[in-house]
Amino acid sequence: MLEIPPTAPNLISGHVLLTQLDESYLAPYCDLIADPISKHWTVTTSTFSDDQLLAWLRSRSGQLERLDWAILNSETGEFLGEIVLNELDVQAATMNLRIALLSTILGKGIGTQAVRLVVDYGLQVLGLSQITLDVWSENQRAIRVYEKVGFVQTSTIDEDGKEFVIMQIANPAS
């Protein structure tokens, strides 16, 4: 039986530390949500008040169907973004991945390290059979990262006039 821990475990590789996302990251999380370049590449159009974001961050620990990590610089503790496994399907043993990074750290390998950590954890530790994601087709940098980690494109969908690429990575042990 697939079980998700109530708190995202710490994961570390190189300059990247993933730790439970919570209200202690409110100020830098607000910066991430307001970052116009990050919003562009993640196709985020919603806006949120600080109170809404604080309530959201307070609710991240204890979730039984998802894991939310803050992405930190392992040496300085600087907040760099968030990465999430969500949309748990217990029967199929699958989850979805999403990531958002501050625009100031794009192109530095942080996203690749974070995605690798979460994929390895999801497939090897949780025993997921597959992890999926969707990415805006114009976000070629992200697509290259996902392919480097082992994701393959399976289809495309159109949402509100934008094309999204559906990708997946399967557990070779499944």
Side-chain angles (χ1 to χ4, degrees):
M1 173 78 174
L2 184 64
E3 289 188 41
I4 304 301
T7 303
N10 287 349
L11 305 173
I12 189 166
S13 176
H15 298 293
V16 172
L17 167 65
L18 304 182
T19 192
Q20 177 65 55
L21 184 65
D22 62 27
E23 67 271 13
S24 68
Y25 300 105
L26 178 61
Y29 193 78
C30 288
D31 292 343
L32 172 66
I33 298 301
D35 184 325
I37 295 170
S38 179
K39 287 177 76 161
H40 172 77
W41 290 119
T42 59
V43 193
T44 302
T45 57
S46 300
T47 57
F48 305 94
S49 71
D50 289 359
D51 287 341
Q52 287 173 311
L53 292 175
L54 179 59
W56 171 255
L57 291 171
R58 284 184 173 152
S59 72
R60 296 307 77 213
S61 183
Q63 298 293 315
L64 299 178
E65 297 184 351
R66 61 183 292 140
L67 294 165
D68 295 79
W69 285 274
I71 304 170
L72 307 177
N73 179 305
S74 62
E75 295 167 5
T76 67
E78 176 189 7
F79 180 89
L80 307 173
E82 72 167 337
I83 189 164
V84 177
L85 279 176
N86 61 4
E87 300 178 15
L88 172 65
D89 181 332
V90 174
Q91 301 298 78
T94 64
M95 292 184 87
N96 179 74
L97 180 136
R98 70 174 179 76
I99 185 172
L101 299 169
L102 288 166
S103 61
T104 55
I105 58 101
L106 294 177
K108 297 183 179 175
I110 302 299
T112 302
Q113 286 182 349
V115 169
R116 272 199 181 111
L117 280 168
V118 170
V119 165
D120 288 349
Y121 177 78
L123 298 179
Q124 296 171 14
V125 178
L126 293 178
L128 296 172
S129 65
Q130 175 180 281
I131 298 172
T132 61
L133 62 84
D134 58 273
V135 58
W136 185 26
S137 63
E138 292 189 26
N139 194 345
Q140 289 298 307
R141 178 187 313 216
I143 291 170
R144 283 191 303 277
V145 165
Y146 300 137
E147 288 174 338
K148 188 186 319 181
V149 172
F151 281 86
V152 294
Q153 297 183 27
T154 58
S155 63
T156 60
I157 58 170
D158 184 76
E159 283 186 23
D160 300 323
K162 291 191 184 294
E163 182 182 73
F164 289 85
V165 176
I166 308 302
M167 303 181 82
Q168 70 179 29
I169 187 168
N171 189 334
S174 293

